[in-house]
Amino acid sequence: MTRNPISSSSRSSSTTSQWIRLCVGGTYFLSTKSTLCKDPQSFLCRLVQEEPDLNSDQDETGAYLIDRDPLYFGPILNYLRHGKLVIDKNLAEEGVLEEAEFYNIADLVQLVKDRINGKKLTESNDHRSYVYRVLQCHEDELTQMVSTMSDGWKFEQLVNVGPGYSFGNELHNEYLCVVSRESTSNQANGEVEPTEKAKILQLKGSRM
């Protein structure tokens, strides 16, 4: 049985049909149908189907006309190509998020939101300020002090300053206990109002 070879013109036609031209905001992009359909529910995949359910004009070259910002389309297309979010330093994550939502690429939308939230959290941590206190106590008071150290206070450092008093034949050491807590907006402005548990810590350090 003789098989008819596929003609070069058929192969060329099939290959050509896989390449899609897009004109986004006046800038041309060239990609494959398989890339644009990485997310089957996306705007781009629905646009390039043989029987699309979206209406879009095409220019004389056959490019689909999309009235969006071409600068922010780059990260969208690259994500579909390799699955990684790469954003130029001159572009805002919020702008990429806007485009990802327009093109309805769900995984990319979540990825950009996670990056934005992570950046906000980092900036928030960088701007935190803390209140520090140094409390002086005897050796036998350490346990009680640690047990009352709540309400946001955190142990930082314990410094042995040597014998403070003697009881019978035993010498008892004294310690400096450094504690800290994140400051509130009032504390940042110099208006410090200790809470009840903070007052306990201050009483323990009354011999500073």
Side-chain angles (χ1 to χ4, degrees):
M1 180 177 177
T2 304
R3 303 177 62 182
N4 294 326
I6 299 176
S7 65
S8 59
S9 61
S10 298
R11 288 195 301 270
S12 176
S13 176
S14 176
T15 302
T16 302
S17 66
Q18 293 299 311
W19 286 95
I20 307 294
R21 284 173 63 86
L22 304 171
C23 182
V24 182
T27 301
Y28 284 92
F29 294 86
L30 187 63
S31 188
T32 63
K33 185 176 181 179
S34 60
T35 294
L36 299 177
C37 288
K38 286 291 178 63
D39 184 339
Q41 303 302 319
S42 71
F43 170 90
L44 295 171
C45 184
R46 295 169 59 195
L47 181 68
V48 300
Q49 297 303 310
E50 293 182 4
E51 297 182 2
D53 58 354
L54 295 176
N55 293 323
S56 177
D57 293 332
Q58 293 177 267
D59 66 9
E60 63 278 2
T61 68
Y64 293 94
L65 301 176
I66 304 175
D67 187 20
R68 303 296 292 184
D69 190 332
L71 290 178
Y72 283 92
F73 184 69
I76 304 296
L77 184 56
N78 284 331
Y79 173 78
L80 293 174
R81 284 169 171 160
H82 49 57
K84 296 180 180 179
L85 176 58
V86 180
I87 302 177
D88 187 273
K89 63 181 181 180
N90 297 319
L91 299 180
E93 285 92 349
E94 290 78 4
V96 178
L97 176 60
E98 183 72 23
E99 297 306 296
E101 291 176 338
F102 172 80
Y103 292 110
N104 194 34
I105 305 174
D107 289 345
L108 180 57
V109 168
Q110 188 59 51
L111 190 59
V112 181
K113 284 183 176 180
D114 290 344
R115 175 174 292 193
I116 292 174
N117 291 335
K119 188 174 182 180
K120 288 180 178 178
L121 181 61
T122 299
E123 291 175 350
S124 175
N125 290 337
D126 289 343
H127 289 86
R128 288 181 180 178
S129 58
Y130 294 87
V131 175
Y132 290 87
R133 298 192 186 282
V134 180
L135 310 177
Q136 185 176 357
C137 64
H138 295 308
E139 184 176 356
D140 54 357
E141 295 175 327
L142 279 175
T143 301
Q144 185 178 359
M145 175 175 287
V146 172
S147 67
T148 61
M149 195 168 59
S150 57
D151 195 38
W153 289 97
K154 182 176 66 173
F155 174 80
E156 294 288 348
Q157 188 177 6
L158 185 67
V159 179
N160 187 340
V161 294
Y165 70 100
S166 61
F167 184 78
N169 295 324
E170 297 182 0
L171 290 177
H172 293 260
N173 292 331
E174 287 197 350
Y175 293 87
L176 296 180
C177 183
V178 183
V179 297
S180 70
R181 65 174 292 178
E182 187 176 347
S183 66
T184 63
S185 57
N186 287 339
Q187 289 171 333
N189 295 326
E191 304 173 13
V192 181
E193 178 61 33
T195 62
E196 289 302 317
K197 292 182 179 178
K199 291 176 182 178
I200 294 175
L201 290 177
Q202 292 175 347
L203 288 174
K204 293 293 184 182
S206 59
R207 296 187 301 279
M208 286 176 56

